[in-house]
Every structure is written in C-alpha cells, then in structure tokens.
Amino acid sequence: RVMVSHVGYKDNQEHLTAKDHAFAGAVSGFLTRGFLQPLDVLKIRFQLQVESTLRRGGGLYHGVIQSAVVIVRSEGLTALWKGHVPAQALSICFGVAQFWSYAVLTKTANEHGIGERYSIHGVCGALAGTCGTLASFPCDIVRTRLIAQGTPKRYNGMVDAWRKLLHQEGILSLWRGLVPTLAMTAPYTGLTFYFYNAFFILASKSFGDGGEVPWLSSSAVSGVASGVCAKVCIYPLDVLKKRIQIRGFEEARRQFGKVVVYPNAWKCIVQMWKEEGILGCYKGLWPSMLKSGCASGSIFITYEATCHFLAHIHSSRENNDIR
C-alpha cells in the first residue's frame, strides 16, 4: 500500500481543505504534547541552569535520568507535567496555525508554478512557523513560567499566571522574548519542513515508494530525522529565548542554583559566553534532541494519519453522492 505525504498542498489531494490541515495539526499537537511534556520540562530546567550541566559542574541537574529522579523526589511525579495545560494550548494553537498556513502557502506556490521547487518547502515552512508563533506565544510564556517555578508556587495555573503577568508586568510581558523566538522558530520550522520533504523522498525510495513496514514508516523516519537536524542547527537561540522569558522571575528559581539577571538579549548572550562558554549555548541539548526527534516524528505521523483519515471520509462521501 503506497503512502503519499499529505504535508502541504498536493495537486492529487483534492479532498483536503485548509481546514482539514488545521484540524490535523491540532490533533497531532495535542497527542504529541501529552506524551512528551516531561522531556520539555527537563529541557527547560537545563536551559535555565546557570551552572554547568556536567556531572561535576556544581549544578542541580546533570543528566536526563538523574534530573527526572531529582524532580520527582523533590516535587512529585506530577512536576514532570508542570505547565501541561498551557503547553497543550501552545501545541494546539501552534499546530493549527502552522499546518493551516503551510497548506495555504504551498497551494499558492503551486498555483504560481513554483510548488515543485525543492527550496519552497523551507520558505513556506519558515513563514508557517512565524504564523504559529504569533498565534501561540502567550501560551509559551505561561508554560515557561509554570515549569521554571519552584516551591512555594507563585502561579496556581494558566489563568492565574496570565492574570498576574498582566497585573504585575503588563501586557508586553506576554510577548517577552518574541524577537529571539521568531529568529529561532522561522529557521527551525523552515529546516524541519525542508528536511522532512527531503527525507520523505529518500525514505520512500528506501522503503519501496513509502510502503509501510512492520514498525516503521517513511513519515516516522523523516519526522524524527528532520526534527533532530533542525534542532541542532538552531539550539543556541532556544536557550537564549528561555533565559529572556524568565526576566523578572529570577528569584523564584533560587532553589535551583545561581540566579543571574539579564537586562536584555545582547547582555544575556555576552554574559553566557563569558561565564558558561560555548557549552552554555547547548545546555539541555540531549533531552531537547530526544524530545525534538520524538515530537517531530510523532507530529508528522499523526498528522499524516489524520489527513489520510479525513481524505478517506471525504472520498467516501463523494462516492455516495455520485451513487
């Protein structure tokens, strides 16, 4: 059975609309987030730790398993799902905006005769990532704050966090770190879609035109590989974004180690480079790569499956109408 990619607009996929792509993006984001939230918690804790993440670096966290054990012992098992509600809101909003805009953009490119160009997937992916970020950024801010806080808690959930942020820090606090986030998201999503299409073509040839094998598919392989490759390329910007997002919230992290206040993004870059070196720009890379690979693979395969299901429904309805 031949598997054809539903990512982006295709001439031979007349049954799928932009709304179908948006719905599939929401489903894939929701399912993926539920499984992989603990890895996101570990990644953010690593990124916000000023001390080295090496075993003898003096920091609280220095390994995926060790960090998970420390968090569970000191904060309980549910701490691995801290910020899960705003993270779900983030994933759903981002998934809807990203895949909807990617479908619209690739359709427009197709109509102008440039849809077959290899680089167009990267350009459309970057623009789609920008749309997704703008739609979901306030959820990202709240998610980071909820994950970063220790005990006693300053925020008692997503709504409480939004209320206090607006009251204490103003509406602009919901967009803190937007510039480095856009600088990271656009190339990340662009590279992800670019790599996905490249790997999908390669995997399809390797697996016999995308035919399914017992435990693998072209979509899963392509999704994992594209997520890992894209994350490695832009990871330092992700660390910078997380450091900026907790400005004004630093004291809540004192129990986790040294507290440093960064007045702006440039000072953050300079101070990180001086005090933590090049390795500081890649703190939390391993859990992040693991999470990105698993998330990207999960997102694309659930997205493809949802699109395939929707296309089948539309096709069945059309056949019934003809009869």
Side-chain angles (χ1 to χ4, degrees):
R1 186 174 175 176
V2 177
M3 179 177 178
V4 179
S5 175
H6 291 83
V7 177
Y9 175 80
K10 305 289 191 305
D11 286 330
N12 59 348
Q13 292 173 8
E14 300 174 357
H15 300 300
L16 292 178
T17 66
K19 290 182 179 179
D20 291 326
H21 287 284
F23 177 75
V27 172
S28 64
F30 174 80
L31 294 176
T32 300
R33 176 62 63 181
F35 288 120
L36 300 178
Q37 177 68 6
L39 286 175
D40 207 31
V41 171
L42 292 178
K43 180 199 74 169
I44 292 176
R45 290 290 180 93
F46 278 131
Q47 289 176 331
L48 299 180
Q49 179 170 290
V50 176
E51 296 87 354
S52 172
T53 54
L54 297 177
R55 184 177 295 274
R56 299 181 181 179
L60 181 62
Y61 307 122
H62 52 76
V64 174
I65 296 177
Q66 178 269 345
S67 301
V69 171
V70 168
I71 291 173
V72 171
R73 284 179 176 174
S74 60
E75 304 172 53
L77 182 62
T78 56
L80 292 176
W81 275 269
K82 270 188 176 181
H84 183 60
V85 173
Q88 278 290 6
L90 165 66
S91 294
I92 293 172
C93 289
F94 189 88
V96 168
Q98 177 182 238
F99 282 106
W100 174 84
S101 58
Y102 186 73
V104 171
L105 290 166
T106 50
K107 182 178 182 180
T108 302
N110 218 292
E111 291 172 347
H112 286 79
I114 57 176
E116 296 302 319
R117 294 183 182 179
Y118 205 57
S119 60
I120 199 66
H121 296 289
V123 175
C124 290
L127 293 173
T130 299
C131 291
T133 299
L134 293 174
S136 63
F137 198 74
C139 297
D140 193 17
I141 289 286
V142 170
R143 176 194 64 149
T144 299
R145 292 293 184 95
L146 290 174
I147 292 175
Q149 71 178 347
T151 52
K153 294 181 178 179
R154 181 179 295 187
Y155 307 123
N156 296 313
M158 182 172 65
V159 175
D160 182 56
W162 267 328
R163 181 178 60 81
K164 289 180 178 177
L165 277 167
L166 289 171
H167 178 70
Q168 298 171 2
E169 303 178 44
I171 192 169
L172 292 180
S173 65
L174 296 177
W175 303 95
R176 187 169 288 157
L178 178 62
V179 174
T181 300
L182 287 175
M184 176 195 72
T185 304
Y188 175 70
T189 54
L191 288 168
T192 299
F193 280 102
Y194 177 84
F195 283 130
Y196 180 79
N197 281 276
F199 285 127
F200 190 89
I201 293 173
L202 180 62
S204 296
K205 293 178 180 178
S206 301
F207 298 151
D209 253 351
E212 297 179 359
V213 293
W215 58 279
L216 207 55
S217 73
S218 298
S219 180
V221 172
S222 304
V224 171
S226 63
V228 170
C229 291
K231 178 58 71 174
V232 171
C233 291
I234 57 84
Y235 193 74
L237 287 171
D238 194 14
V239 176
L240 174 63
K241 182 189 81 168
K242 289 297 184 293
R243 296 288 179 99
I244 294 301
Q245 284 184 330
I246 63 164
R247 281 174 56 194
F249 185 66
E250 294 86 356
E251 286 301 318
R253 296 198 63 262
R254 184 168 294 279
Q255 71 183 90
F256 300 130
K258 183 179 178 182
V259 174
V260 178
V261 179
Y262 304 109
N264 53 55
W266 177 248
K267 290 288 186 181
C268 180
I269 295 172
V270 172
Q271 196 163 344
M272 279 179 59
W273 184 266
K274 287 182 178 179
E275 297 183 2
E276 303 171 55
I278 185 66
L279 292 179
C281 298
Y282 289 91
K283 283 180 174 177
L285 178 61
W286 286 113
S288 184
M289 283 178 59
L290 180 61
K291 183 237 176 182
S292 290
C294 293
S296 186
S298 176
I299 284 172
F300 279 112
I301 198 167
T302 52
Y303 176 82
E304 297 269 26
T306 304
C307 284
H308 180 77
F309 176 72
L310 293 173
H312 178 71
I313 291 177
H314 292 321
S315 180
S316 297
R317 286 177 179 173
E318 288 182 5
N319 291 333
N320 290 332
D321 290 340
I322 293 174
R323 292 173 185 174

